[in-house]
Amino acid sequence: IQKLLLPYQEKEQFTLHQFCSLIEQARTQLRLAASPRLIEAWKSYDAKDVGALPASRVIQFLEDLKAKQLPPLPHCPEHILEDENGPEAVGSGPVHTYQDSPSLKPDVPVEAVVKELNQDENHCIAIHEVEYAAQWVRQLYICRRRYLERLLQKRSRLPEPIFQELRPQLLALFQFFLSIADDDEDVAAVDFDTMLERLPAFGLAKPGCQQDKDVRQTLTKVRSAADDGDVRFSGFLHGIRMLRRREITESEEEIEALFTAYDSEKSGFISNRAICSILLRKGLQPKSVVEQQGIAEILEEMDADGSAAFTLTATQAVVQLVKEKFVQIHTHEQTQEAQAMGLTPKKVQEQRYVFLALDVTGDGALEMMEVERAMDLLDRR
């Protein structure tokens, strides 16, 4: 895409024809890049190598592809996405809420996309048609994701630099915030102490951080701004930024030394491969396909210009985000296991909180005395 734009670098304006031409060229390039993965996934559906599938199978194929490649968009009540200070605070004009806008529906309409595809005489859809459909599903998803991100920015009144900093994880942070917020409130808010209890499950603080004086001191501004001890989403994001800055500062010298070692040309940038080597040195090597995908997503999000070159600041952010991502993946896996045993989400959260509070060493294990203490605490609850 960068190469496509090179001939137009001196232009200040684009005609509609030039713009449409660029869009089509970019779509072609993106489709070619995604084609190998799509074909590999297609093989499991088209076992006889016919090169076409019935519409119902194409829908199933695209839904499966979407589930593997695109994280689900958050579901939330309509009032949650209104401005925290009321509709009149957003500005002139109507307030668009999550339910009002068709481009904010959480599910990408795969069936509607497939209906637009051409079918052969056997009422089957060829793979080249499905390639176009897969691209459209992804485009619709990204469009809706970006719309929702901007709506959250507007609602939380995030300045543009802060929004760009948090944008890659904004929806994940919002989903996490909703999971710990009080469902009974008209406006989503979370108790300050509850927020501290739950942060370790997102990888944003060490276990037992609610007793950590340094963490409490770091979040003093968040607490002082909280309304009756309740933190709104904007305050939650402010706390996240402060905690991340604190975590990055703690390992600043180590990451800078590794960055300097891999920046052999002293250009101020390192490659994707060097980033992966740093992650390896930090003990953050992926041990599953899910973790591999998590790292790939973070690198893609942080490489906004597609240059595959990372500054020291970007490298520090990648290391921090990968640490968080691994914790989130493990938390999700543990939650699924616990729910398979019949535990409710609320009970899982309670037991995780007690476990993390007693796991003072942070090694993911409790000694017998700590287990007895946990049983006592859970019994009291």
Side-chain angles (χ1 to χ4, degrees):
I1 292 174
Q2 293 277 332
K3 290 178 182 178
L4 291 177
L5 292 171
L6 282 176
Y8 301 93
Q9 282 186 338
E10 302 301 322
K11 295 184 71 66
E12 294 183 1
Q13 293 182 323
F14 286 82
T15 65
L16 177 61
H17 175 74
Q18 290 169 333
F19 176 74
C20 292
S21 175
L22 273 172
I23 292 297
E24 284 307 310
Q25 291 179 67
R27 282 176 175 162
T28 300
Q29 293 296 325
L30 290 171
R31 194 160 55 246
L32 288 172
S35 187
R37 285 182 296 174
L38 184 140
I39 292 172
E40 191 63 33
W42 175 271
K43 290 178 182 176
S44 63
Y45 278 80
D46 184 17
K48 296 182 179 179
D49 198 22
V50 175
L53 290 173
S56 59
R57 290 284 286 163
V58 169
I59 292 172
Q60 189 179 354
F61 170 74
L62 291 174
E63 290 284 8
D64 188 36
L65 202 65
K66 183 183 76 171
K68 289 179 179 177
Q69 296 183 4
L70 305 174
L73 295 173
H75 297 253
C76 63
E78 177 180 343
H79 66 273
I80 296 300
L81 285 179
E82 292 179 357
D83 188 89
E84 291 182 347
N85 297 307
E88 68 279 0
V90 177
S92 59
V95 178
H96 297 290
T97 61
Y98 187 80
Q99 302 295 339
D100 293 334
S101 174
S103 53
L104 287 182
K105 298 298 181 184
D107 294 321
V108 174
V110 172
E111 290 186 30
V113 172
V114 172
K115 282 181 181 179
E116 299 296 319
L117 302 180
N118 295 317
Q119 298 187 16
D120 60 21
E121 62 276 8
N122 297 318
H123 304 290
C124 289
I125 301 171
I127 185 171
H128 68 270
E129 288 279 327
V130 177
E131 284 186 279
Y132 280 96
Q135 185 181 30
W136 273 111
V137 168
R138 185 175 182 83
Q139 281 185 227
L140 286 169
Y141 170 88
I142 292 173
C143 184
R144 292 166 189 193
R145 180 184 178 92
R146 289 177 178 171
Y147 192 103
L148 186 52
E149 288 167 349
R150 284 297 183 183
L151 196 57
L152 282 171
Q153 179 195 17
K154 190 174 185 180
R155 173 192 181 276
S156 305
R157 298 186 173 188
L158 295 177
E160 188 65 19
I162 295 177
F163 171 69
Q164 293 299 337
E165 174 192 334
L166 294 173
R167 188 170 194 169
Q169 305 85 36
L170 191 60
L171 294 187
L173 287 169
F174 184 57
Q175 190 67 60
F176 178 70
F177 176 78
L178 290 180
S179 73
I180 63 175
D182 189 343
D183 295 333
D184 297 329
E185 297 290 335
D186 290 333
V187 179
V190 61
D191 177 73
F192 179 80
D193 288 322
T194 301
M195 183 179 80
L196 285 180
E197 289 177 11
R198 307 305 184 202
L199 283 177
F202 200 79
L204 288 163
K206 293 180 175 64
C209 69
Q210 60 274 16
Q211 283 91 33
D212 190 324
K213 291 182 180 179
D214 290 338
V215 172
R216 284 185 169 273
Q217 184 64 32
T218 301
L219 297 177
T220 297
K221 290 183 180 179
V222 174
R223 183 162 197 172
S224 61
D227 184 14
D228 297 326
D230 287 338
V231 180
R232 303 276 184 90
F233 184 56
S234 56
F236 173 76
L237 291 178
H238 185 49
I240 295 305
R241 292 184 70 238
M242 290 191 290
L243 285 174
R244 278 184 175 160
R245 195 176 299 123
R246 180 175 179 268
E247 292 275 329
I248 289 172
T249 301
E250 286 180 357
S251 60
E252 190 172 20
E253 291 184 5
E254 182 185 3
I255 300 299
E256 187 173 355
L258 289 169
F259 181 90
T260 302
Y262 285 103
D263 182 19
S264 56
E265 297 180 359
K266 309 303 176 187
S267 64
F269 296 91
I270 61 173
S271 65
N272 267 348
R273 181 173 294 182
I275 287 267
C276 293
S277 297
I278 289 175
L279 292 174
L280 187 65
R281 295 277 292 272
K282 290 289 293 177
L284 294 170
Q285 65 271 31
K287 296 179 177 135
S288 68
V289 173
V290 177
E291 289 182 352
Q292 288 176 346
Q293 290 174 340
I295 292 176
E297 288 170 8
I298 289 169
L299 290 175
E300 184 179 352
E301 289 167 352
M302 295 301 295
D303 184 23
D305 61 0
S307 64
F310 297 84
T311 63
L312 173 59
T313 301
T315 301
Q316 292 171 331
V318 167
V319 171
Q320 176 62 26
L321 292 174
V322 170
K323 283 167 57 179
E324 293 175 16
K325 189 69 174 179
F326 280 11
V327 172
Q328 293 160 26
I329 290 170
H330 298 158
T331 299
H332 178 68
E333 290 172 349
Q334 292 165 359
T335 300
Q336 285 186 319
E337 290 176 8
Q339 290 180 346
M341 296 165 59
L343 297 175
T344 64
K346 184 176 180 180
K347 185 63 70 176
V348 173
Q349 282 191 345
E350 286 181 357
Q351 295 194 7
R352 179 179 290 117
Y353 161 63
V354 171
F355 183 93
L356 293 176
L358 293 174
D359 181 21
V360 292
T361 59
D363 61 358
L366 298 181
E367 296 181 358
M368 183 55 69
M369 290 182 61
E370 292 170 330
V371 172
E372 292 174 356
R373 175 65 176 151
M375 298 294 288
D376 182 48
L377 287 172
L378 288 169
D379 185 55
R380 289 182 190 176
R381 286 173 172 244

